[in-house]
Amino acid sequence: MPTTVHPSKFAQNPLQRFLLATELDTRLIGMIVALAIIWIGFNVFSGGLFLTPRNLWNLSVQTASVAVMVTGMVLVIVTRNVDLSVGSILGLVGMVMGVMQTDILPAQLGLGLGHPLIWALSLLAGLAVGVGIGALQGSIIAYLRVPAFIVTLGGYLVWRGAAWWVTMGRTVAPMDPTFQLIGGGPAGAIGALWSWVVCVIACAAIVVGLYLGRRQRLRFNFPLRPVWAEATLAILGCGIAIGAVWVVNAYPWPRRIAENYAHANGIDIPDGGLFISHGIAMPVLIALGVGVVMTFIATRTRFGRYVFAMGGNPEAAELAGINTRWVTVKIFMLMGGLCAIAAAISSARLNAATNALGTLDELYVIAAAVIGGASLAGGVGTIAGAMLGALVMQSLQSGMVLMGVDSPLQSIVVGVVLVFAVWLDTLYRRNKH
């Protein structure tokens, strides 16, 4: 019969007993506490502007593109590699998608902006370019044995130059109206009703996931968490989902946009004004979807197991029969595809493809992955932690903007936070061993 996980007799306080019973990652808990401190601190110093539905909604949209890329960067770092070219790939792919919409598709196929195929074909072209670049870099790293640092540093320069060469420095705008929805905005959000539908689905998924996990433990005779711990995890997960949806639904459309919508649809405007909720923005939905898929890939597939095996001990993984070279190529192909998705979000949100698109994003992505618990020594990292790290990084930047902090000082803070996170990772690994 399976046994129930009981707190160790050596646990000295209720917090330790709670963590042992729920099996929550202490590093993840620490990040959540740090995020709460950052939010509360910025809210105090900004005069209450930070913790408003409007700012939190914008914060979620601003985090989306980095959150998408950091899910791939985790796998790269887990295998003891690094990708310095992600920002440049984003810029090049964004430019390619912009040119597809404004020049190539209208000229070659006669498809103008607003055609139902133009956004899909542009997105497919961007994905093809991103995956192709990832395959090229991954092949050089895996088969020519050139260090990833050097290959992607070269890519950082090459792809940024290629982005300029595509249009000779010209900004490409506007984007297709349907494509723009990927970037958010009043039209690029799903509204209050569908946001609550997503919330119900998320809560159901949390409960079902905990139930299935318990059944799996029972099936393989693994220790079980106490029922109260399972219930606590379900309540916490559902509470976070409900709170997030409540916040995004509390942020209404701008007054003029709401009035124009009412006039166009024959809706009477009440005396107090028309309140139309934004709901969850499309970029956030995309980022969450990518996070779920990447978590499944990392934890439930053979490919994911190979990635962590390579990161833990590359020589042992190769001796065990893992084709480490091909796995490396696939990791960088996946990273390129994620850069293409992030490029679609960024260019759609800006409604333009510019040569500055993605500048310094590689630093924010690497910093978010490291802050989120990915170890530069390899073998350690989680998708959820990395996405939370992206939120921490964007919260720092957003809060400093609200406080009027100069851009150079913002860079200094990000650099200090990155070094501090790596130092904490070093201490954590040292104490663990």
Side-chain angles (χ1 to χ4, degrees):
M1 291 295 291
T3 58
T4 300
V5 174
H6 291 289
S8 167
K9 62 182 180 180
F10 298 108
Q12 298 177 351
N13 58 58
L15 178 60
Q16 288 178 316
R17 290 195 292 271
F18 174 80
L19 292 176
L20 284 170
T22 56
E23 301 177 4
L24 288 173
D25 186 356
T26 54
R27 298 179 72 177
L28 192 64
I29 296 294
M31 285 184 57
I32 294 174
V33 171
L35 182 64
I37 293 172
I38 290 170
W39 282 13
I40 294 171
F42 278 132
N43 192 60
V44 171
F45 289 111
S46 66
L49 295 177
F50 192 89
L51 291 179
T52 59
R54 175 180 180 179
N55 187 66
L56 293 177
W57 190 90
N58 287 324
L59 176 63
S60 68
V61 174
Q62 293 162 3
T63 306
S65 63
V66 172
V68 167
M69 290 190 288
V70 80
T71 61
M73 187 61 75
V74 169
L75 302 187
V76 173
I77 293 178
V78 161
T79 54
R80 307 185 184 185
N81 292 307
V82 70
D83 193 340
L84 300 175
S85 66
V86 292
S88 297
I89 295 174
L90 185 152
L92 174 59
V93 172
M95 193 63 75
V96 168
M97 289 191 289
V99 170
M100 286 285 293
Q101 294 175 57
T102 58
D103 296 342
I104 297 177
L105 291 178
Q108 300 298 323
L109 300 179
L111 303 179
L113 294 179
H115 192 281
L117 282 179
I118 194 169
W119 73 272
L121 292 175
S122 300
L123 186 58
L124 287 175
L127 285 169
V129 171
V131 172
I133 291 174
L136 174 61
Q137 295 189 154
S139 297
I140 295 173
I141 294 165
Y143 294 102
L144 300 184
R145 300 295 188 179
V146 181
F149 180 87
I150 299 301
V151 173
T152 57
L153 179 60
Y156 167 83
L157 301 171
V158 170
W159 309 128
R160 181 61 64 187
W164 185 92
W165 181 75
V166 169
T167 60
M168 297 302 175
R170 176 173 57 93
T171 296
V172 178
M175 301 287 105
D176 176 76
T178 306
F179 185 82
Q180 290 179 39
L181 301 181
I182 300 174
I190 62 175
L193 176 60
W194 284 106
S195 295
W196 285 119
V197 170
V198 170
C199 180
V200 170
I201 294 173
C203 291
I206 291 170
V207 174
V208 170
L210 289 170
Y211 172 73
L212 293 179
R214 191 174 183 85
R215 283 191 60 184
Q216 283 287 89
R217 287 170 177 247
L218 191 63
R219 177 184 174 188
F220 293 105
N221 245 4
F222 289 168
L224 300 177
R225 282 190 291 250
V227 175
W228 68 262
E230 302 273 14
T232 301
L233 291 174
I235 292 171
L236 287 174
C238 293
I240 292 172
I242 292 170
V245 171
W246 179 81
V247 169
V248 296
N249 282 345
Y251 177 41
W253 285 13
R255 182 176 59 84
R256 185 169 297 178
I257 294 178
E259 290 176 354
N260 291 338
Y261 175 82
H263 292 317
N265 292 274
I267 300 174
D268 294 330
I269 301 176
D271 294 336
L274 187 62
F275 187 96
I276 303 177
S277 294
H278 276 81
I280 304 173
M282 286 301 298
V284 178
L285 277 181
I286 294 171
L288 292 174
V290 168
V292 170
V293 172
M294 289 296 292
T295 299
F296 178 81
I297 290 174
T299 59
R300 302 294 183 187
T301 66
R302 180 183 299 176
F303 169 72
R305 290 193 292 272
Y306 286 175
V307 168
F308 281 88
M310 287 170 55
N313 192 325
E315 293 79 12
E318 196 159 355
L319 291 173
I322 298 174
N323 188 345
T324 55
R325 296 185 181 186
W326 177 229
V327 172
T328 299
V329 173
K330 288 195 287 187
I331 290 171
F332 280 90
M333 289 172 65
L334 185 59
M335 187 73 251
L338 293 170
C339 289
I341 296 173
I345 293 173
S346 299
S347 57
R349 181 166 171 260
L350 190 61
N351 193 24
T354 70
N355 285 283
L357 201 65
T359 302
L360 295 182
D361 273 10
E362 53 279 334
L363 302 182
Y364 283 94
V365 172
I366 294 171
V370 173
I371 290 172
S375 174
L376 295 174
V380 177
T382 63
I383 304 299
M387 296 184 76
L388 188 58
L391 182 57
V392 169
M393 293 298 298
Q394 192 57 52
S395 296
L396 285 171
Q397 187 178 26
S398 176
M400 287 187 289
V401 169
L402 277 179
M403 293 175 59
V405 176
D406 293 335
S407 181
L409 184 54
Q410 294 180 29
S411 300
I412 292 173
V413 171
V414 171
V416 170
V417 169
L418 176 58
V419 174
F420 182 70
V422 174
W423 175 66
L424 287 180
D425 175 66
T426 303
L427 289 180
Y428 180 82
R429 287 187 290 109
R430 186 185 303 164
N431 292 333
K432 188 174 182 180
H433 295 293

